[in-house]
Amino acid sequence: MNKLILVVLLGLASAQLQSVQTLNVTQYLGNWYEVASSPWVHLTFEKDAFCNRATYGLQQDGNLSVLNMERYGSPSGEIKQITGYAYIPNPELPGQLKVHLEGAPFEYADYWIVQLGPVKNEQYQWAIVSEPSKFFMWVLARDPVEYNLLYATQVQNTVTNTLQFDGRFNSYVVRPWTGCVPYNNTQ
Ligand SMILES: *[C@@H]1O[C@H](CO)[C@@H](O)[C@H](O)[C@H]1NC(C)=O
Ligand SMILES: *[C@@H]1O[C@H](CO)[C@@H](O)[C@H](O)[C@H]1NC(C)=O
């Protein structure tokens, strides 16, 4: 295929999903609880995982530190964790991050912040995260109980109907927090 046509086609494919146009990184830091995600996530990165939590911090070099924790096999299962870092390669596309996780079979993965909820206590309250192929999708929230009360209906509708995560493996699947044994925050 002609190289130019290929570039145009790739451009069209990635144009389907847009990332946020502004991001206040400070308001994105802290703990995030996974309240929904796509089956692609459950079949791969988070196989047999429960209670997935991500914690983002600021490193001295300006990149974000990443700490992902999960319980393995059940909501009270053994804690597993992975660390890494993330950065924004192009400041004009602040929602398109690259993530590196220690020991993962890839150097960098795309991490696109697609939509953000309102800011409360200087933190975004929810985030829809995906990547250009739209296989992997996560909805992160600051407080799973409050998310269910205030935002879940609207966010599920946005993910399913507006963003069209409506395939068998890239749909919105609720990730419950009931029964999750809390993480010790010093970890
Ligand atoms: C973040 O990490 C990348 C990749 O290692 C590096 O190129 C960059 O200089 C770091 N710092 C910032 C602020 O992007
Ligand atoms: C980003 O958010 C922090 C915390 O809410 C705030 O202090 C800061 O002014 C914000 N930065 C910008 C550029 O809006």
Side-chain angles (χ1 to χ4, degrees):
M1 199 188 302
N2 179 309
K3 220 178 193 172
L4 181 63
I5 294 175
L6 185 63
V7 168
V8 170
L9 286 176
L10 289 172
L12 285 176
S14 64
Q16 289 175 351
L17 196 66
Q18 312 248 309
S19 52
V20 291
Q21 290 182 347
T22 59
L23 174 71
N24 184 324
V25 170
T26 308
Q27 296 174 344
Y28 200 75
L29 303 179
N31 285 333
W32 284 107
Y33 300 86
E34 181 183 314
V35 288
S37 48
S38 65
W40 274 114
V41 172
H42 317 151
L43 291 167
T44 55
F45 298 120
E46 297 177 12
K47 201 165 184 325
D48 300 318
F50 291 77
C51 320
N52 288 79
R53 188 186 77 177
T55 306
Y56 304 128
L58 205 51
Q59 296 183 165
Q60 297 218 319
D61 67 359
N63 284 344
L64 299 185
S65 61
V66 175
L67 168 64
N68 292 337
M69 298 186 84
E70 67 182 38
R71 296 226 172 240
Y72 188 71
S74 81
S76 60
E78 178 198 344
I79 294 174
K80 283 190 166 187
Q81 67 178 60
I82 188 164
T83 56
Y85 65 89
Y87 71 106
I88 300 168
N90 179 355
E92 285 175 19
L93 299 169
Q96 299 187 11
L97 285 70
K98 296 276 184 193
V99 178
H100 173 82
L101 296 172
E102 307 306 331
F106 53 83
E107 192 171 12
Y108 292 107
D110 285 308
Y111 176 115
W112 285 19
I113 303 170
V114 175
Q115 266 193 44
L116 287 165
V119 174
K120 201 173 122 183
N121 303 328
E122 313 210 45
Q123 292 190 319
Y124 296 111
Q125 293 300 293
W126 55 261
I128 301 168
V129 175
S130 187
E131 39 77 38
S133 70
K134 288 178 69 178
F135 289 155
F136 300 100
M137 187 282 297
W138 294 263
V139 178
L140 309 176
R142 299 298 187 174
D143 178 339
V145 173
E146 193 170 290
Y147 172 82
N148 286 335
L149 285 173
L150 298 181
Y151 309 120
T153 307
Q154 171 211 336
V155 176
Q156 179 164 9
N157 184 37
T158 299
V159 168
T160 309
N161 300 315
T162 313
L163 302 173
Q164 295 188 311
F165 284 85
D166 52 9
R168 180 156 173 225
F169 293 113
N170 76 344
S171 53
Y172 181 108
V173 177
V174 173
R175 301 281 274 169
W177 276 83
T178 43
C180 285
V181 176
Y183 298 112
N184 175 346
N185 271 316
T186 60
Q187 269 162 328

